[in-house]
């Protein structure tokens, strides 16, 4: 039965142990030589493990000369954890403060909304009034043609049309009269203008 390899979390734990046990600075090449022998971390995964630890803040890295060097001291890890706990506690305190403010606002908003007989009566009356208002609006929409405003607009439009028809009728009569004065046959004029025998002047 083959031996199971280390998981990434196990590799990270062992790599941190290596730093804390030796209390030394290492280049990546040095770690790739030491880690397989002392902690059983295969050479090919050392870089990934180190990158993860740097990203987690558990290992520090700095460029010295042309190379990168890595280190991690127990005191630094403890300080990072303490800072993380303090940050989490501050966030928790902020959330609790906001939660208390929301509860207070909710309590203040509910003042006067207690479930009493009077409130239930008023709510029922409000619902009834809203229902009646909706019904009246629907009824008014059904009789939209009888709307006084719409009716007045239509009446004014009809007046304009009537005035225009009367004006053109008068102009036509003047034209026919003028034609007669020139000796032109009225029936010819009517035929030319497309005016039938049933045509008559509009009443004013």
């Amino acid at each position: 039965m083959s031996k199971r390899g280390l998981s990434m979390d196990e590799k990270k734990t062992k790599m941190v142990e290596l730093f804390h046990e030796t209390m030394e600075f290492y280049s990546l090449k040095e770690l790739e030589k030491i880690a397989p022998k002392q902690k059983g971390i295969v050479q090919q995964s050392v870089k990934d493990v180190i990158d993860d630890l740097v990203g987690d803040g558990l290992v520090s890295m700095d460029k010295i000369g042309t190379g990168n060097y890595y280190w991690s001291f127990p005191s630094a890890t403890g300080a990072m954890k303490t800072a993380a706990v303090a940050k989490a506690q501050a966030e928790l305190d902020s959330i609790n403060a906001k939660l208390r403010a929301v509860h207070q606002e909710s309590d203040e908003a509910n003042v006067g909304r207690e479930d009493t007989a009077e409130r239930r009566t008023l709510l029922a009356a409000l619902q009834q009034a809203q229902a009646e208002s909706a019904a009246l609006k629907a009824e008014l929409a059904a009789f939209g043609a009888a709307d006084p405003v719409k009716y007045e607009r239509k009446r004014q439009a009809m007046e304009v049309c009537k005035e225009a028809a009367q004006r053109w009728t008068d102009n036509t009569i003047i034209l026919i009269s003028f034609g007669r004065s020139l000796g032109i046959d009225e029936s010819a004029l009517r035929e030319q203008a497309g005016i039938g025998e049933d045509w008559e002047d509009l009443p004013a």
Side-chain angles (χ1 to χ4, degrees):
M1 183 174 174
S2 60
K3 183 179 179 181
R4 180 182 68 85
L6 298 174
S7 67
M8 176 57 79
D9 286 339
E10 290 171 333
K11 292 176 183 177
K12 289 165 67 174
T13 299
K14 287 184 174 293
M15 185 66 76
V16 171
E17 288 176 357
L18 173 62
F19 281 109
H20 291 180
E21 289 168 359
T22 61
M23 303 284 286
E24 294 287 346
F25 295 80
Y26 295 102
S27 67
L28 180 60
K29 288 185 178 180
E30 290 172 336
L31 288 170
E32 287 176 340
K33 291 180 181 178
I34 298 171
K37 296 177 181 178
Q38 295 191 17
K39 295 298 178 181
I41 303 172
V42 295
Q43 180 181 353
Q44 292 82 354
S45 65
V46 169
K47 185 178 186 308
D48 291 337
V49 174
I50 289 295
D51 288 343
D52 271 13
L53 289 171
V54 172
D56 294 340
L58 296 175
V59 169
S60 299
M61 184 273 289
D62 200 0
K63 190 174 185 66
I64 302 175
T66 58
N68 294 330
Y69 284 81
Y70 304 88
W71 71 93
S72 177
F73 301 135
S75 58
T77 302
M80 284 188 293
K81 289 182 178 179
T82 301
V85 170
K87 181 180 178 182
Q89 185 63 49
E91 292 176 353
L92 180 61
D93 292 343
S94 175
I95 291 172
N96 284 333
K98 291 178 181 178
L99 187 59
R100 286 193 297 271
V102 170
H103 282 313
Q104 183 176 351
E105 290 176 3
S106 177
D107 292 341
E108 292 173 356
N110 285 326
V111 172
R113 297 185 178 182
E114 293 81 4
D115 187 19
T116 62
E118 181 183 4
R119 187 169 188 272
R120 288 195 295 270
T121 300
L122 291 173
L123 285 175
L126 174 62
Q127 290 175 350
Q128 182 178 354
Q130 289 173 336
E132 290 177 358
S133 175
L136 289 173
K137 287 179 181 178
E139 185 176 350
L140 180 61
F143 293 97
D147 187 335
V149 176
K150 293 181 180 178
Y151 177 80
E152 179 60 23
R153 288 176 183 169
K154 289 182 179 179
R155 189 193 65 76
Q156 292 176 0
M158 289 175 63
E159 287 294 330
V160 172
C161 293
K162 183 178 179 181
E163 290 174 3
Q166 289 173 341
R167 184 168 57 253
W168 281 104
T169 300
D170 291 343
N171 290 341
T172 303
I173 292 173
I174 292 171
L175 178 61
I176 292 174
S177 298
F178 181 71
R180 279 201 305 264
S181 69
L182 296 176
I184 301 174
D185 182 47
E186 182 177 342
S187 61
L189 282 173
R190 286 175 173 274
E191 183 179 355
Q192 186 71 24
I195 300 174
E197 293 296 331
D198 57 346
W199 182 84
E200 60 180 276
D201 190 6
L202 291 175

